[in-house]
Amino acid sequence: MTPPQKRPSMLGRILGLCVISAILLVSLNGHAADMDITLGPGDNRAGYESLDFESRSISLLQRTGEAGDLLHVFNSPPLGLPKIPVAPDNPVAAGKVRLGRKLFFDRRLSLNETMSCAMCHIPEQGFTNNELATAVGIEGRTVRRNTPTIYNVAYFSNIFHDGRETRLEYQVWQPMLATNEMANPGIGYVVEKIRRLPDYAKLFENAFGGRGPGIETIGMAIAAYERTLVSGNSPFDRWYFGNDEAALSEPAQRGFRLFQGKAGCAACHTIGKDFALFTDDDFHNTGLGWQVATGAEPSEILVQIAPGVKVPLPQSVIDSVAEPVSGDLGRYEVTQNPADRWRYKTASLRNVALTAPYMHNGAFGSLRQVVEFYNRGGVPHSLLDPLIRPLELTDSEIMDIVAFLESLTGDNVKTLVRDAFAAPIGDRH
Amino acid sequence: MDASRNTIYGIAIFSMVTIFSLVGLSARANETGLPSDMVKITGQEDFVYVWTLGVEGIGDEQDKLVTVGVNPASPQYGRVVYSVSVGGRNEAHHMGFTFDRRYLWCATLDTSKIFVFDIHSDPARPRLVETISDFVAQSGGVVGPHTIMPMKDRMLITGLSNNRDHGGRSGLVEYTADGKYVATYWMPTDDNLQGAVKTGKYADGYNYDIRAMPRMDVMFTSSFTGWSNYMMDFGKMLKDEQAMKRFGNTFVVWRLSERKPFKIFDMPGAPLEIRCAIKPSHDYAFTITALTSRIWLVYRDQQGEWQAKDVAEIGDPATVPLPPAFTISSDDRLLWATTFLEGKVRAFDISDPFHPSQVYEKQIGSQVNMVSSSWDSKRLYFTSSILSKWDKKGRDNQQFLKSFEWDGQALKARFVIDFTREKLGRPHEMKFGAYALYNS
């Protein structure tokens, strides 16, 4: 599964410079998520760069939950979010959502029965994968891009980092059929497989007025579930839209002013009068994709081999065990317009503290690194988006912006994750 | 498990007595890390079974169990005798005999299937008699069965990953010898140490190999990484800062009879294979960390407490030679360790287990992974493949089984089988077979 975006492809018009780096932790595996099975990987590796690292692993048996009222979430979007668009031919209903959730977690829906949507969109990892820069598909095949979160995907019409799909109902089929993701050999193969699975008996018929599994109903069921994964009412929302002055910390308030002002992030990560999606749903070139495609490889790379231990490995050693890397031209691959080379969709920033690593290729492990990237002015080249320029942010300003970004976590995240934990994982019996 | 197979297993158990009387049984002996109380081939082995990964574009592209003739007295010496394809590329990896050595369980890290072969009816031509395809569901979500350790009537199986996040937290799974699920034992984690003492800073919940010393009622487990990493392209992973944080750093000591962990040691850098000393007076075992290239000794001190000590390095750890496999000789004097990225094997004198010293080194190929030794230490066999997506690319992707003779001074090449030219795939683990085990 690979729905919409995630990456702050442009934190607006970028941010300044700075050094330091003590704070880290910020997002992925962040301190707030410490030992909380619903917020971050249960295998918490925060601080692994240091010799002082201590494990904080959580038993998989703790990963339990209870079904939530997802329909209520859908019908009453949280503060800070608009009414959820309804597909006229696919109204969201409880039975359909339950069925979609079951499909989402069913590993049998891949050719060799190892991959489900949820093996990449992992609930406690922000419905993305905090443990990989770019995804790994069936038989370990390489997926070029970072797994986008599906939080709030209901609002977007440009789906995937390159916007190649327009509706969730259609999008669902791409990973199921992609040879490097779930690798099903055909649509009919999937339909017939589900039809034969006894635990799906009557579920489609009951959810779709008598219609059984099919190309439309499978897409509609999963899309219905995904549309309920709406998360808002964050500390920022309660402060900005709810007028609760105590809801947002001072640093986050300062960060917000920079976000809209000096740093210019809001030019792309938009905030409206009554709601904020934190994305313009458009495509921008930050220079990162261009750099990967055209830059020279370093002669050696620092590779971490143990907590606090990194060694320089010659590029030649890495090349000896690396398959050829596929190119990635971003939006151009959809439009064939040379001006669209290395443009990627602006990711929403909602729940961004939960969705590391960042950018379309997972290049940055922390929000601070992202802000520093924009503060440098991205990677200058002829196609760089004109909104991106050096920002001259101070270190404390960078930290304030990070504090603001961390304030965008919705208050129902735990509910949605625990609901996901309650879903049965489909394995061959 | 069907009824006919249960019958076969029943006969097998009754036949054990016969087996013990026919083969040079030695409770002290060890071919390549088999349980101390299991029947061994003490003379010349007839076959090496090679669990082989299918490769797209090569032959039938499926995983297969390949039988190679290795008895010099046989006209089949140095040749592929037989192969059985099992369907699919499942990431074939390790294997384990049933305790009676009549069946061979072949595990897979991707689809988590376990293929069970009858190897006693015709040792040259293993027959697939059962496929356990519900391992993940039965175990409650353990993915990637790895080491299969036989006990009298049970099989203990390490898992490397899980069906929730494809990360490294996993468990031990117990089956009966006739293939019925018994229980799952999750690895100790920080929030649930299960009574174990965390001696250092880590309790990661990861898993890899398992070995036991029944006379002391202990078993040991090591720790590798989860599905996302072991299935991923190696070059891609080395560049992925997040992925490189997801390796195991722990070694766990368990009470064998209770299946309870009681001590967790820090071993930074993915301790993989475990080999127990063979002599009854030797209360110790070795493991080697793959990423940090260190030999660790796990031993019982004078107070009877289990301790762990970093006792030697392999090659130059700064260059990450990546030692994935090793074996020790049946007299506990030599430790043979391969280094995948270098393609070398090194022999260490471990007469003093606290001070291993390298005594020999040889280039085996452009890459090398598994090493298996005959019980008499005269023959060593090497295979090339570590994992389907980790093997070298291009011309360095040599795929072979190589046989060598050890004369006490040097390894002398005997035969080579090119698994690519033979259209077989990537050879991984080896187990030995012999007619003498079953002649009655």
Side-chain angles (χ1 to χ4, degrees), chain A residues 64-75 92-99 101 105 127 224-225 228-230 412-424:
Chain A
T64 60
E66 57 288 320
D69 186 355
L70 300 186
L71 211 54
H72 174 74
V73 176
F74 180 82
N75 290 324
V92 172
K96 208 183 288 183
V97 171
R98 277 197 301 276
L99 174 57
R101 190 184 68 168
F105 287 88
F127 282 97
Y225 170 61
T228 66
L229 299 176
V230 171
N412 66 343
V413 164
K414 291 186 179 184
T415 302
L416 297 177
V417 171
R418 294 185 71 83
D419 171 81
F421 286 171

Side-chain angles (χ1 to χ4, degrees), chain A residues 16-24 368-369 371-372 375-376 392-399 402:
Chain A
L17 197 65
C18 277
V19 211
I20 306 190
S21 60
I23 266 198
L24 300 185
R368 181 182 179 90
Q369 290 176 310
V371 178
E372 288 174 341
N375 197 28
R376 292 192 296 271
E392 300 181 357
L393 296 173
T394 66
D395 187 64
S396 64
E397 287 175 330
I398 289 176
M399 289 193 288
V402 170

Side-chain angles (χ1 to χ4, degrees), chain B residues 81-155:
Chain B
V81 173
Y82 192 65
S83 81
V84 186
S85 296
V86 298
R89 287 180 297 280
N90 309 274
E91 196 68 32
H93 207 73
H94 282 198
M95 306 180 277
F97 296 113
T98 49
F99 193 81
D100 60 14
R101 208 161 168 156
R102 296 166 72 87
Y103 294 89
L104 183 60
W105 289 33
C106 300
T108 63
L109 297 183
D110 185 15
T111 64
S112 300
K113 292 177 182 173
I114 298 173
F115 300 95
V116 180
F117 289 88
D118 167 355
I119 53 169
H120 69 278
S121 297
D122 182 348
R125 300 167 67 90
R127 185 166 59 94
L128 180 63
V129 294
E130 182 67 31
T131 300
I132 298 174
S133 56
D134 59 357
F135 176 85
V136 179
Q138 287 277 11
S139 65
V142 175
V143 162
H146 182 264
T147 304
I148 295 176
M149 185 179 79
M151 302 171 70
K152 287 282 192 302
D153 56 353
R154 296 293 172 89
M155 305 291 266

Side-chain angles (χ1 to χ4, degrees), chain A residues 33-54:
Chain A
D34 219 3
M35 299 299 273
D36 185 330
I37 191 69
T38 64
L39 296 176
D43 176 26
N44 188 332
R45 298 283 165 135
Y48 202 77
E49 302 82 357
S50 166
L51 285 170
D52 296 328
F53 168 76
E54 291 191 36

Side-chain angles (χ1 to χ4, degrees), chain A residues 33 42 71-72 74 77 139 155 158 191 203 229 240 244 257 291 306 320 327 333 372 384:
Chain A
L71 211 54
H72 174 74
F74 180 82
E139 290 190 16
Y155 294 104
N158 284 318
V191 171
L203 296 183
L229 299 176
Y240 190 76
D244 178 356
R257 289 191 284 275
Q291 184 180 46
S320 74
E333 295 178 2
E372 288 174 341
L384 182 69

